[in-house]
Amino acid sequence: MAASITTKECLRHKCSACYKQYKKKEHLIEHMRVSYHSVHQPRCGVCQKHCKSFESLREHLNGPLSKSNCSKIFLEQGCGLCLRVLDDRTSLRGHQDICRLTAPVRQGTSLLPTDLSDCYDEDRSDRGLGAIAMDCVMAGGGSDGTLDICIGICLVDEDEKLIFNTFVQPHIPITNYRHEVTGLTEERVRYAMPLKEVQEKVLKILLNGETIERLRLNGGKARLLVGHDLEHDLDCLRMNYPDHMLRDTARYTPLMKTNLVSHSLKYLTRTYLGYDIRQGVHDPYENCVSAMRLYKRMRSLNHHGLVTTLLIAPPLAQYVAHSIDSYSAKDLEKMTPDTLYELSRSNFKCWCLDSRRVMQT
């Protein structure tokens, strides 16, 4: 009898994703409800533990409290950029040659104005839907020059081709050109394009011939907008674009810090692509290319398993399959940890789903 009680007291309920253990099944169920485990979370290539972000995974593999077995294998066979674990050192060397990218050729703010918006307004099936990366150059406004004002914009396509680059005529006077950062002076931007015209050209490129109604509903043929801290750039441009069409490297959960605070684009580029940016004045082309490369790297991840979420979804869209909240507490108590994991759903839309969005139209 005593042995039976001891065994019951020692019974632990283990999460199939992060391996946390709980004395009571109800605690495991609550953990699964709030942890949002799914096949889209970064995972250790050795023990398959799920982590909330790549930074959490990095700490698991080579941080001060890393797991010894995982750390040892990763040290010998792991890629420090994408955190994959390869079969052997030979495979690792070949992988690293591909994974580590070279920095794009810097253009600075001396680049001549470029406008291919008319070409990108054409509905061409050979170009596909794709994504457009955007970066803005900010000067200062207001009495103390601390108010960000967009005076330059750059758009790049998925092939890193420059399609739109121009100075922007600000809507309020500039009091600080921030020359040490922008490299710009009043003379350089004297004949800038009016803000309203910039807004129209950017929207034309992004819409790709789609209607505003379809854009807001599910995107349709419109292009995704990639960048770093896009909310700030769009605000300075006085533009709006639906949240479900934004791919922001500053807001993407797997690329954020463990406390869900954004990393700088400079940090992300060095950590995940293997090169440094922003050596000198602000280069919007370099930023666009780096943000696009980060997006494409995240999009290329192959997350196996059943994916039942809508491919292009408004913010409030729900998963097609049942979730934990679809079942009663009594039913959940009877389920195994593996079944609970299968019911768990991600709290962010994984960019790997974008590789299939063409199939929707």
Side-chain angles (χ1 to χ4, degrees):
M1 182 68 177
S4 177
I5 295 176
T6 303
T7 302
K8 188 174 182 180
E9 290 176 347
C10 293
L11 180 63
R12 308 282 287 187
H13 301 279
K14 185 177 181 180
C15 174
S16 298
C18 66
Y19 307 145
K20 289 183 178 179
Q21 298 185 35
Y22 299 89
K23 291 182 179 180
K24 295 183 178 182
K25 185 67 170 290
E26 61 189 84
H27 294 166
L28 172 62
I29 294 171
E30 183 58 26
H31 163 75
M32 298 304 295
R33 197 189 306 277
V34 301
S35 62
Y36 303 107
H37 289 312
S38 77
V39 296
H40 299 292
Q41 286 184 318
R43 285 181 291 177
C44 174
V46 181
C47 71
Q48 300 303 309
K49 176 184 177 181
H50 290 50
C51 299
K52 290 183 177 181
S53 65
F54 282 104
E55 182 167 284
S56 298
L57 176 57
R58 197 177 298 276
E59 291 180 0
H60 168 78
L61 291 169
N62 54 21
L65 299 177
S66 59
K67 300 300 180 181
S68 58
N69 184 51
C70 297
S71 179
K72 180 180 178 181
I73 296 177
F74 182 77
L75 184 63
E76 297 178 353
Q77 301 168 215
C79 174
L81 295 176
C82 67
L83 304 184
R84 281 185 57 190
V85 176
L86 284 297
D87 294 334
D88 50 54
R89 291 188 176 182
T90 302
S91 300
L92 175 62
R93 285 193 292 270
H95 167 81
Q96 288 177 326
D97 290 339
I98 300 174
C99 198
R100 184 177 297 277
L101 304 180
T102 57
V105 178
R106 287 180 55 82
Q107 307 290 341
T109 50
S110 61
L111 196 65
L112 293 175
T114 302
D115 184 2
L116 300 179
S117 58
D118 290 336
C119 299
Y120 272 75
D121 185 44
E122 300 172 3
D123 183 11
R124 286 173 44 187
S125 58
D126 62 312
R127 185 163 48 230
L129 302 180
I132 298 293
M134 179 179 77
D135 186 64
C136 295
V137 180
M138 304 294 177
S143 58
D144 57 358
T146 58
L147 178 65
D148 284 344
I149 302 175
C150 177
I151 58 171
I153 185 173
C154 179
L155 298 182
V156 172
D157 67 12
E158 289 198 29
D159 297 323
E160 303 179 7
K161 180 180 179 181
L162 181 67
I163 58 177
F164 185 61
N165 179 79
T166 187
F167 296 128
V168 181
Q169 194 176 99
H171 55 281
I172 62 174
I174 296 174
T175 56
N176 183 358
Y177 281 88
R178 302 174 182 173
H179 178 75
E180 67 283 357
V181 176
T182 66
L184 298 177
T185 61
E186 182 178 2
E187 182 64 29
R188 290 282 311 281
V189 298
R190 185 181 300 277
Y191 303 105
M193 184 179 293
L195 177 61
K196 183 175 177 57
E197 186 176 349
V198 171
Q199 294 168 340
E200 292 173 349
K201 288 182 176 292
V202 171
L203 187 59
K204 183 170 66 173
I205 292 171
L206 294 176
L207 282 178
N208 190 31
E210 190 55 87
T211 64
I212 295 293
E213 292 73 17
R214 186 74 184 278
L215 167 69
R216 292 170 178 169
L217 179 63
N218 61 8
K221 297 182 299 182
R223 297 184 174 95
L224 300 171
L225 181 59
V226 176
H228 191 79
D229 199 7
L230 283 171
E231 182 179 353
H232 179 252
D233 284 351
L234 288 170
D235 184 56
C236 291
L237 284 169
R238 296 191 169 187
M239 291 184 65
N240 294 306
Y241 206 59
D243 288 344
H244 63 274
M245 297 296 288
L246 301 180
R247 299 296 181 263
D248 195 336
T249 55
R251 300 288 182 265
Y252 190 50
T253 301
L255 292 178
M256 299 178 80
K257 299 180 181 180
T258 53
N259 59 355
L260 298 182
V261 173
S262 303
H263 279 296
S264 67
L265 181 59
K266 182 180 180 70
Y267 172 86
L268 293 176
T269 302
R270 181 176 64 249
T271 304
Y272 296 98
L273 301 179
Y275 63 86
D276 285 313
I277 62 172
R278 296 183 180 174
Q279 306 296 317
V281 299
H282 181 179
D283 188 332
Y285 174 77
E286 182 183 52
N287 286 3
C288 281
V289 171
S290 298
M292 180 63 80
R293 289 177 177 180
L294 284 166
Y295 165 69
K296 291 171 67 176
R297 177 153 293 183
M298 295 295 108
R299 186 182 65 183
S300 67
L301 296 177
N302 182 22
H303 297 137
H304 67 276
L306 181 62
V307 179
T308 54
T309 182
L310 298 175
L311 301 183
I312 292 292
L316 298 179
Q318 299 296 317
Y319 286 88
V320 176
H322 291 298
S323 64
I324 290 179
D325 292 331
S326 302
Y327 295 86
S328 66
K330 185 176 180 180
D331 290 335
L332 292 172
E333 284 283 347
K334 299 176 182 177
M335 295 180 183
T336 64
D338 287 344
T339 303
L340 291 172
Y341 169 69
E342 291 174 1
L343 293 175
S344 180
R345 296 289 177 259
S346 174
N347 63 340
F348 67 94
K349 180 187 173 181
C350 184
W351 291 350
C352 77
L353 300 174
D354 289 342
S355 60
R356 300 163 56 192
R357 71 185 291 260
V358 176
M359 296 167 55
Q360 254 201 326
T361 58

